[in-house]
Amino acid sequence: MVQIHSTGVRHVSHDIFARLKEDHESHRAILDKLAETHGESNERKELLEQFTKEVKSHAAAEEQALYSTMLRKPPTTDMTRHSVAEHHELNELLNDLAAQDMSTSAWMAAFKKLDHDYRHHINEEEEDHFPEFEPYLTDEDREHMRSVFDRRKAEEKDEAEVTPEKMEDAKE
């Protein structure tokens, strides 16, 4: 993550867990802004598109960098599978939200579920999974994850789509 501080200095975190947490903070901020939007506004559309592309690319890169590594470490397999399963559930919630009419209370209900479930997921990663994973990582693992994460996130973000589907298709 590139951050520009008030001094104008750019900072990129090299620790994989700090890097993932930086993304999570950005996602929380977008969710906060989305919660303040109303109706079918351009702001709501733009924030939803931004959030969807950010989260889908983050999740795909996280799976390819962190979770593919952790699956090879038996003590972390269950936690890893749990997080990957949640990624798929969150992807379905994003698709369902995109299928809703933004001007309805159903959209806000779907957004609140997504918001709740996503915050639960990232809090669980940060508070439980990342600290549990830490002791199992070698320096080689860390270097591999750092290089894979940012490269894959950029590639995935270029491919990520907001997929407004018809309601009857969204649950499939």
Side-chain angles (χ1 to χ4, degrees):
M1 177 82 164
V2 176
Q3 295 180 334
I4 300 176
H5 296 278
S6 58
T7 60
V9 175
R10 292 166 59 94
H11 171 70
V12 179
S13 181
H14 293 291
D15 173 73
I16 188 65
F17 298 115
R19 175 69 186 83
L20 295 170
K21 289 177 183 179
E22 288 169 358
D23 272 9
H24 293 168
E25 284 304 311
S26 170
H27 300 163
R28 286 180 181 104
I30 298 169
L31 285 170
D32 291 345
K33 289 178 186 173
L34 258 169
E36 296 173 5
T37 64
H38 301 282
E40 194 167 336
S41 66
N42 285 335
E43 181 184 22
R44 183 175 275 183
K45 288 177 190 173
E46 289 168 10
L47 286 169
L48 179 60
E49 181 174 347
Q50 179 186 4
F51 180 76
T52 301
K53 288 182 175 190
E54 283 288 328
V55 168
K56 286 184 177 186
S57 61
H58 170 91
E62 185 176 56
E63 288 175 18
Q64 293 166 17
L66 175 65
Y67 291 126
S68 67
T69 301
M70 301 320 297
L71 278 172
R72 295 191 304 271
K73 307 198 184 269
T76 65
T77 301
D78 287 343
M79 283 184 285
T80 299
R81 287 184 177 143
H82 174 78
S83 282
V84 171
E86 285 187 347
H87 282 183
H88 294 285
E89 292 166 11
L90 290 163
N91 192 54
E92 287 181 22
L93 290 174
L94 280 166
N95 291 344
D96 290 347
L97 185 61
Q100 299 281 342
D101 178 343
M102 286 185 169
S103 63
T104 66
S105 60
W107 188 93
M108 188 50 78
F111 169 76
K112 286 180 180 178
K113 175 157 181 46
L114 170 68
D115 182 47
H116 174 270
D117 289 2
Y118 186 72
R119 289 177 194 266
H120 164 82
H121 170 74
I122 60 178
N123 289 339
E124 184 176 60
E125 282 184 333
E126 293 175 1
E127 295 167 14
D128 299 334
H129 297 186
F130 296 171
E132 291 277 336
F133 293 168
E134 189 77 42
Y136 298 100
L137 296 174
T138 65
D139 289 341
E140 293 80 20
D141 290 333
R142 292 171 199 285
E143 183 55 40
H144 166 76
M145 290 187 298
R146 274 193 301 268
S147 65
V148 168
F149 182 79
D150 284 324
R151 178 177 50 81
R152 291 302 304 156
K153 183 174 179 206
E155 292 168 2
E156 293 289 339
K157 194 169 182 180
D158 287 343
E159 301 287 322
E161 294 182 65
V162 179
T163 52
E165 303 166 348
K166 294 180 184 166
M167 270 310 294
E168 58 270 15
D169 297 335
K171 297 278 186 205
E172 290 180 1

